[in-house]
Structures are given as structure tokens and as C-alpha cells.
Amino acid sequence: MMQHDNPVWLITGCSTGFGRELARLILARGWRGVVTARDPSTVADIAAGHENQALVLALDVTQRAQIADAVAAAQQRFGRVDVLVNNAGYGYLAAIEEGEEAAVRAMFEANVFGLIDMTKAVLPIMRAQSSGLIVNVSSIGGLTSFAATGYYHGSKYAVEGISESLAIEVKPLGIDVMIVEPGPFRTNWAGPSIKQSATRIDAYAATAGERRKQTEARSGKQAGDPVRAAQAIIDAALSDTPPLRLLLGKAALDLARKKLDMMKNDFDTWESTTLGADFPPGEG
Ligand code: NAP
């Protein structure tokens, strides 16, 4: 659980989007924040006027040495970390067959291994406190999948699986895990931050190709408000019982429910085949 009295939040990826809005709200509440970004000059304005509460640090989550330095600096300055927000991440548009290995691996380095390394670096502090909250920013794309974002889904489904196991392991130690699953929000995600494969295969024009176009066209017009999302994350973090999953926005809720229905339909339709794969009762 988060320590409620003047908690220390450590947030990755604060230059734009959710991370930026969250850092601003944390500091506006008078809480303490380790406000990190690959280029710390991008967050100087957030910390301005909050020098007593804010520690601004350079942090690329794919750089192990920077992670160790940042967590040590946070510990030295504030003596604790109450909430870690693994927010840094980005998307990559490509049909699976179009995917370029170096770009795919780079995205997994940020979205998955960066989150893992940050978590491992902060856990000893939270274990010593016997308290803490780890907020892993996944996506509705960590629950359900579309054309052109298969590799991104792979990275976010990885975040979901890792987070579920982590939650079981750290609950008895007084630490909570909350997976945040936004639908489409008006951040840089679909705009300046998105990466795409240069490879295009005509056979995927009607599926992945169309989805690339839709993603670009939607940028800046998404229904989701990142400020309200940041407030929702704070509200859930303040709960004595934060949810394992927090969906953000109506699109996320609708898609998650549709996914549950699809899974239930498959499970029910194929139930007898599923059950038939075990040894018959009393045999073996
Ligand atoms: P954003 O405005 O593009 O912000 C992404 C942030 O991540 C930026 O601060 C970026 O920093 C940072 N980042 C990327 N790679 C990094 C690295 N290796 N090390 C440190 N920071 C890094 O988009 P956003 O929507 O706020 O994204 C935040 C999270 O929400 C991501 O995990 C994203 O996948 C997730 N999400 C977004 C949406 C949406 O529709 N917006 C939906 C579901 C999930 P730079 O400025 O240095 O690039």
C-alpha cells in the first residue's frame, strides 16, 4: 500500500503525456516526486517552484547504470519510494511479417525490460519499508489485440503477466501492484512517439495498413484526457485496496468486456474438447 502521508512517487517518462500530467498533479498536491525523463530539460518546468519536493533526474529505462543511479539518488534525497510508476513506453506499427527485429527488440527493451529493471531496483527499498505501490502502465492493448500493433501488444501482454505474478509475490510483503490499461488518450503516443516499420507488404494493406492510417488519423482526437487519467491513477493509488487492473476510458471498458465475451464464448463452445484432454477420471 502507498504511504498516504506525503508519499514519494518515482515516475518514468515524464517529458510528455501521462507521466508529465501525473508528475504535475503529484507536485501540486504537495507530495514528493522523482521526476525522470531521458532529457531532464523537458521536465524542468514541472519542477520549477517545487524545488523542495521534486528531484529531477535523467533516466532512460533501457540504461541499467542510469536506473541504479536514479534509484540511489531518490533514496538519498527522500529516504524512501512509496510509488513507482513504470510509465515510459511507446508503440510500434507493423504487421507481424513486416516487423524489423532491431526495432522490435528496442521496443521490448523499453516497454518490458525497462519496467522489469526499474521494478527490481526499487523493490529492495519497498521491502525494507514493508509498503509500496508499483503502477505498471500497460494498455487496453495488454488485454486485446488489433492489426499493426502485434509487437506492442506482445510487450504489454508481457507487462500484464509479469505484473500478475509480481502482485502475488509482493502482496505478503506489504506491496501492491496496479496495472493501468488506458484506451486511446490524447498524448504523443500515436503522434510524435510512434515508430513504424519501413517494410510494407501489400498483402497487409487492408489490415495492418488500414490500422496504421487509422492510428495516425486519430492522433490528437482521442477521447481520453491524460489529465483526468493521471487523476484517476492517483485516486486508485489512494485506495486501501487498489485494483490489480484499472481500465481508463470508455473505449478501454468496452473493448475489455468484448474480450471477456470472446474468451468465454471460445471456452464454452470448446468445453468438452478441453475437458477431453485430461486422463479420464480414475485412469493413470
Ligand atoms: P507519450 O506522450 O509518447 O509519452 C511517453 C513517454 O515515455 C515520454 O516521456 C517518453 O520520453 C518516454 N519514454 C519512451 N522511451 C523511454 C525510455 N527508453 N526511457 C525513458 N523514457 C522513455 O505517450 P503516453 O501515452 O503518455 O505513454 C505513456 C505510457 O502509456 C506508455 O507506456 C504507453 O504505451 C502507454 N499507453 C498510452 C496510451 C495512449 O493512447 N496514449 C494507451 C495505452 C497505453 P521521450 O520524450 O524521451 O521520448
Side-chain angles (χ1 to χ4, degrees):
M1 197 204 299
M2 181 179 87
Q3 185 215 21
H4 286 207
D5 179 31
N6 196 11
V8 176
W9 289 57
L10 194 174
I11 308 168
T12 65
C14 295
S15 66
T16 59
F18 295 132
R20 183 175 187 83
E21 300 309 337
L22 201 46
R24 284 156 60 108
L25 290 183
I26 297 306
L27 297 176
R29 289 181 83 104
W31 290 346
R32 296 169 290 176
V34 185
V35 180
T36 73
R38 285 196 279 205
D39 174 359
S41 73
T42 59
V43 295
D45 63 313
I46 305 177
H50 298 284
E51 284 75 12
N52 292 337
Q53 308 151 246
L55 175 63
V56 169
L57 296 174
L59 178 57
D60 179 330
V61 298
T62 66
Q63 302 300 314
R64 292 259 171 83
Q66 279 193 11
I67 290 178
D69 288 351
V71 174
Q75 170 81 325
Q76 195 181 10
R77 170 77 187 271
F78 296 124
R80 57 188 303 122
V81 176
D82 295 291
V83 185
L84 166 65
V85 185
N86 284 310
N87 164 73
Y90 63 90
Y92 174 67
L93 299 176
I96 297 300
E97 194 181 340
E98 294 168 339
E100 292 150 343
E101 185 181 345
V104 172
R105 286 184 185 271
M107 186 186 60
F108 272 77
E109 284 295 332
N111 294 7
V112 181
F113 292 100
L115 172 146
I116 292 170
D117 291 341
M118 282 301 301
T119 302
K120 288 172 77 175
V122 169
L123 273 174
I125 297 174
M126 291 185 170
R127 284 195 288 107
Q129 294 166 183
S130 299
S131 73
L133 172 66
I134 297 172
V135 178
N136 285 339
V137 181
S138 171
S139 170
I140 185 57
L143 285 180
T144 190
S145 311
F146 299 92
T149 32
Y151 292 107
Y152 178 68
H153 296 310
S155 76
K156 294 300 192 182
Y157 278 57
V159 166
E160 300 260 340
I162 289 162
S163 301
E164 281 192 10
S165 292
L166 180 68
I168 297 164
E169 292 162 1
V170 299
K171 183 82 189 166
L173 311 178
I175 302 165
D176 286 318
V177 177
M178 182 164 79
I179 307 167
V180 176
E181 294 157 336
F185 273 72
R186 229 172 277 181
T187 68
N188 282 358
W189 188 91
S193 300
I194 199 90
K195 299 204 184 306
Q196 302 209 31
S197 68
T199 305
R200 307 283 167 109
I201 300 173
D202 282 348
Y204 300 109
T207 51
E210 276 306 307
R211 180 96 200 301
R212 285 184 199 247
K213 284 187 206 154
Q214 286 166 12
T215 303
E216 281 167 2
R218 198 172 57 191
S219 182
K221 300 182 192 122
Q222 299 94 330
D225 172 359
V227 179
R228 287 182 167 83
Q231 186 58 53
I233 292 168
I234 290 172
D235 291 345
L238 278 168
S239 165
D240 287 340
T241 52
L244 177 59
R245 291 194 161 79
L246 179 68
L247 295 162
L248 292 177
K250 183 175 187 308
L253 186 61
D254 290 349
L255 287 164
R257 288 193 167 134
K258 196 170 154 201
K259 176 69 184 265
L260 279 180
D261 289 346
M262 278 167 54
M263 289 178 82
K264 185 175 177 346
N265 188 46
D266 275 353
F267 297 161
D268 291 350
T269 305
W270 289 85
E271 181 175 336
S272 65
T273 308
T274 297
L275 295 175
D278 285 341
F279 289 109
E283 212 181 87

